[in-house]
Amino acid sequence: MQNLTDSAVVSALAPTRVAILGAGRGGTALLDLLHQISSIKIIGIADRDHRAPGLQRARDLRIPVSDRAEELIAKHDINLIMDVTGDPQMEHVIRLHRHPETDVLSGTASRVLWELVQHEARLQAELFHAEKMAGIGNFAAGIAHDINNPLQLILGLAENLAEERDLRTIHEQAKDIIEAVKRTSAICQDLTQYARKSAVNGDSQVNLNVRLDEALKIARYAASFHDITVVKRYDAGAVATGNPDELLHVFVNLITNAVHAMNRGGGTLILATDVMDGTVRVRIADTGCGMSSEVASHIFEPFFTTKGPGKGTGLGLYNVKTIVSKMLGTITVDSHEGKGTAISLDFPPPREVPP
Ligand code: ADP
Ligand code: MG
């Protein structure tokens, strides 16, 4: 258990220092939300139950954890205590130990806060899904093309069959028809899997190379790969903990952006994974148009796009950032105008997930 060390008294400009009591679902959701806000500093989280999910989350975020709420409450440099234990006794414990200048959010107020946090998570999921659906419009031409080829083949074979008398030839052509049908249904399967809503709490160990390959397959429907060479450099051990559907969407977004950037004149798309000391890196690089530093400074903002109406939503990289930061990962953008762009995602090593 990490120690909760005292630090200097807060000044007016310093971040609001918050302590969270309770590391169940409410505490975990609060951690996830508050740690993204730069004007809030989480001083610690306490829960009597060693196995409470928020404690592990806090350790991953390098936030001190404790099993003694009263120790955390008694710290004098806390501006706000958020009590999401749901324990009626806790109000009494807080009253006994807190400093008079520390504010407390508990009871109904903390329940309302918990509902707002839940609401925010639902809105985020809706936005994510809406962006995916908006993108699916671009797939129509690619899918029509890919399904039409096997359909034409099936038609030709079926016409032959109607005339054919030789039993061996009939068998062979029937087999070809079955193969062609399998190919069309595989296309439909890829896309229905991609279009479905991802499970909210679906974290598992994800093989990043497999997901990159799947994303490449899907991105081929969404964008033209004409004159584009794909180079893969995979590290066999590239695994991260996250939601596989969300990761697929992240990779589809990054690959389609890279391909769009090369749509004038073609180029090379590099997909690479690397297991380094303490991190797993995914790198998606293109030799496309690149970005000015002005454009690069806005790309993670919602609705920022340089693409024409109907071509871009400006939500792709915003969602990528949300998902990567939820996985405690970081994003690095390296772009040169006229030369290309490389986007690297660094994830922490995989952690154990409860079954
Ligand atoms: P959208 O693709 O819908 O425009 P994104 O959030 O995915 O939205 O991207 C925002 C903007 O970032 C793009 O419009 C483009 O200007 C820029 N961008 C993203 N990826 C690249 C890339 N690989 N090369 C050049 N510009 C890029
Ligand atoms: Mg995009």
Side-chain angles (χ1 to χ4, degrees), residues 25-239:
R25 278 194 333 134
T28 313
L30 269 181
L31 271 181
D32 281 339
L33 184 70
L34 299 184
H35 100 268
Q36 297 183 49
I37 302 171
S38 58
S39 58
I40 292 177
K41 180 161 173 58
I42 306 171
I43 299 305
I45 181 163
D47 201 301
R48 239 176 307 168
D49 178 4
H50 287 266
R51 289 154 311 162
L55 295 184
Q56 189 50 49
R57 191 87 181 139
R59 286 191 197 97
D60 292 340
L61 292 166
R62 309 207 184 296
I63 291 168
V65 302
S66 167
D67 56 356
R68 292 170 55 83
E70 52 283 18
E71 255 176 31
L72 183 57
I73 296 165
K75 285 166 68 64
H76 65 262
D77 57 353
I78 296 173
N79 304 114
L80 178 66
I81 293 170
M82 290 182 168
D83 168 21
V84 284
T85 55
D87 174 3
Q89 301 292 313
M90 193 52 81
E91 270 181 55
H92 178 65
V93 179
I94 294 172
R95 222 176 298 128
L96 271 182
H97 295 278
R98 83 174 169 98
H99 286 261
E101 63 276 15
T102 306
D103 287 325
V104 180
L105 193 100
S106 64
T108 317
S110 90
R111 248 194 323 279
V112 170
L113 180 71
W114 162 235
E115 271 153 26
L116 284 176
V117 170
Q118 292 280 88
H119 185 65
E120 207 268 349
R122 274 197 300 274
L123 283 182
Q124 190 71 55
E126 287 300 328
L127 181 65
F128 177 77
H129 192 65
E131 184 255 327
K132 191 153 72 173
M133 287 297 129
I136 280 181
N138 301 328
F139 288 43
I143 301 165
H145 177 266
D146 273 48
I147 288 186
N148 195 43
N149 284 346
L151 281 181
Q152 290 305 322
L153 181 67
I154 292 167
L155 178 64
L157 288 166
E159 278 169 354
N160 281 350
L161 271 185
E163 312 280 313
E164 189 57 65
R165 294 280 167 271
D166 178 40
L167 207 58
R168 245 191 40 211
T169 316
I170 291 176
H171 278 167
E172 264 161 29
Q173 294 191 342
K175 261 194 225 148
D176 288 345
I177 290 179
I178 292 169
E179 282 313 308
V181 171
K182 277 187 186 161
R183 241 181 305 149
T184 32
S185 76
I187 294 169
C188 297
Q189 229 167 15
D190 286 348
L191 288 161
T192 40
Q193 199 196 352
Y194 178 65
R196 74 174 180 208
K197 274 195 179 171
S198 36
V200 181
N201 291 318
D203 276 5
S204 59
Q205 317 286 29
V206 183
N207 181 325
L208 299 173
N209 304 336
V210 170
R211 288 274 103 168
L212 277 169
D213 280 345
E214 284 172 20
L216 183 64
K217 213 160 57 173
I218 289 167
R220 282 185 193 277
Y221 300 120
S224 158
F225 275 64
H226 186 67
D227 280 340
I228 289 173
T229 312
V230 181
V231 176
K232 297 180 192 174
R233 289 191 205 122
Y234 290 167
D235 188 326
V239 174

Side-chain angles (χ1 to χ4, degrees), residues 312-352:
T313 58
L315 287 170
L317 290 177
Y318 170 74
N319 282 333
V320 166
K321 187 166 182 248
T322 309
I323 294 162
V324 172
S325 66
K326 199 168 78 174
M327 292 174 66
L328 313 178
T330 54
I331 307 177
T332 315
V333 181
D334 183 15
S335 187
H336 300 276
E337 234 177 331
K339 289 200 170 148
T341 302
I343 298 201
S344 304
L345 312 179
D346 285 319
F347 297 110
R351 62 183 157 77
E352 278 195 28

Side-chain angles (χ1 to χ4, degrees), residues 253-254 257-258 260-261 286 289-291 295 299 301 304-307 311-318 335 341 343:
N253 264 326
L254 295 176
N257 277 349
H260 282 158
D286 64 69
C289 60
M291 301 172 233
V295 166
I299 55 174
E301 292 167 11
F304 176 83
T305 179
T306 57
K307 298 170 189 171
K311 293 234 170 87
T313 58
L315 287 170
L317 290 177
Y318 170 74
S335 187
T341 302
I343 298 201

